Amino acid sequence: MKNLTSRTQMLYTLGFLFFLISAFAAFFTGVKVGADKTEAKYEHLQEAKSPEETSGSYQQQDLVTFYHNVFLPYREFKRSWNSEVDKLARSTDARENAATLKNLGILADKQYKKVTQDSIFTNSPLLQQSQLNILKSLTLFSQASGKVSASAGGTETAKLLKSDPFTVSAVKFGLQSQKQFYDSMLKWGARANNKIPATTKEIKTLSFVQWKKMPLLLKNATIADMLLNRGIFAGYDPQDITAKVDDMIYSGTASSLKLADVQSSLTLLISTGAVQEQDFIKWREQYYPKETIPQLPFFYE
């Protein structure tokens, strides 16, 4: 009898484990299918190109066109998403929470339609990839909003939404797209100024001494890479963090806090919510009057 009971418990346990594995597999398969469908739909955006880029790649007009037709709609979405999720976390009304989730899905679909979906960056491969990643990201954000069930506990609903595999992948694609855009600016900068490198270097610990020697476009691209690696999906832009780090250094705040590198400064700034949108504009004239930057609105607005 005891052996029969043990066998039954073992079968139950194995059945439960199989169910969990199947559930997780279904989640991640769904994420992959959602992203793959978008990639297949816009396969023409990543047609094979010669390894050697044409001399016309990464022109300022490419960056300006990308900003208005692709990046700006996504930037608006990112701000709204963070604002709505923050509101959701404070709500105690189940119907209101359900409406918020529905609106987030509608917003993702709306911005998806705004993003240019034709390949107009054939000479700038990084911009092409960034364009595709934004389309993937918005697709997955829309699916995540329709997948999570609302409850009266807004905090729990917001937590489920943020941790949903579709949302996690959407954030990753969005941050990858942002990095590719800032890497594209760096390539443009290298063509405009021979003192600017065309690519970033992988540095485990970036000291303030090294940071001070870097041109603005390299700092921004480096910060975009750090945001991707840390999964930080915020309303501000990489240049806002760049400006905040520079102000901490030159104002003496970093020294008084015994900070010696950019990574530890970034950790402090993010954890304390010290970075604000348009921090770059606040210190642009003070720290960056002679920097080489493209004529993009968010550097001047």
Side-chain angles (χ1 to χ4, degrees), residues 16-182:
F16 182 68
L17 288 173
F18 177 76
F19 170 77
L20 285 179
I21 293 170
S22 299
F24 278 113
F27 268 131
F28 290 106
T29 298
V31 172
K32 188 176 187 306
V33 167
D36 287 350
K37 280 184 178 178
T38 304
E39 189 159 3
K41 187 176 180 181
Y42 299 104
E43 192 174 2
H44 63 282
L45 294 182
Q46 46 184 7
E47 294 172 350
K49 288 172 280 295
S50 169
E52 185 177 348
E53 294 164 11
T54 67
S55 60
S57 63
Y58 304 105
Q59 297 296 310
Q60 178 159 259
Q61 186 55 49
D62 289 338
L63 298 175
V64 172
T65 301
F66 182 89
Y67 177 89
H68 286 290
N69 294 352
V70 180
F71 188 76
L72 186 57
Y74 190 75
R75 189 175 181 230
E76 292 169 348
F77 168 80
K78 184 171 65 169
R79 286 175 172 173
S80 297
W81 174 273
N82 285 315
S83 176
E84 288 298 302
V85 172
D86 183 58
K87 184 177 77 173
L88 177 65
R90 299 193 305 270
S91 173
T92 56
D93 187 320
R95 283 190 297 181
E96 184 178 307
N97 295 344
T100 298
L101 289 173
K102 182 178 179 181
N103 289 337
L104 285 172
I106 292 172
L107 177 64
D109 293 338
K110 178 183 176 183
Q111 296 308 98
Y112 182 97
K113 291 177 182 177
K114 283 186 178 181
V115 173
T116 299
Q117 295 169 29
D118 292 324
S119 177
I120 53 177
F121 307 105
T122 54
N123 292 330
S124 303
L126 280 172
L127 291 179
Q128 272 194 319
Q129 286 300 312
S130 183
Q131 179 183 11
L132 180 60
N133 281 332
I134 279 180
L135 291 169
K136 288 180 182 179
S137 180
L138 289 170
T139 297
L140 292 170
F141 270 123
S142 176
Q143 292 175 349
S145 302
K147 203 166 143 293
V148 175
S149 298
S151 66
T155 301
E156 184 62 25
T157 303
K159 184 178 178 181
L160 288 172
L161 180 61
K162 287 181 180 179
S163 62
D164 185 87
F166 282 85
T167 303
V168 173
S169 292
V171 166
K172 183 179 178 181
F173 282 123
L175 292 173
Q176 181 67 46
S177 171
Q178 178 174 259
K179 179 184 182 301
Q180 288 162 333
F181 184 32
Y182 280 81

Side-chain angles (χ1 to χ4, degrees), residues 193-212:
N193 185 337
N194 59 17
K195 293 182 179 180
I196 298 176
T199 58
T200 58
K201 292 182 179 179
E202 188 175 345
I203 304 174
K204 290 185 178 179
T205 303
L206 181 58
S207 71
F208 289 151
V209 174
Q210 293 169 299
W211 174 262
K212 287 179 181 179

Side-chain angles (χ1 to χ4, degrees), residues 242-253:
T242 293
K244 195 71 176 180
V245 170
D246 278 331
D247 187 62
M248 287 180 70
I249 294 171
Y250 294 115
S251 67
T253 302

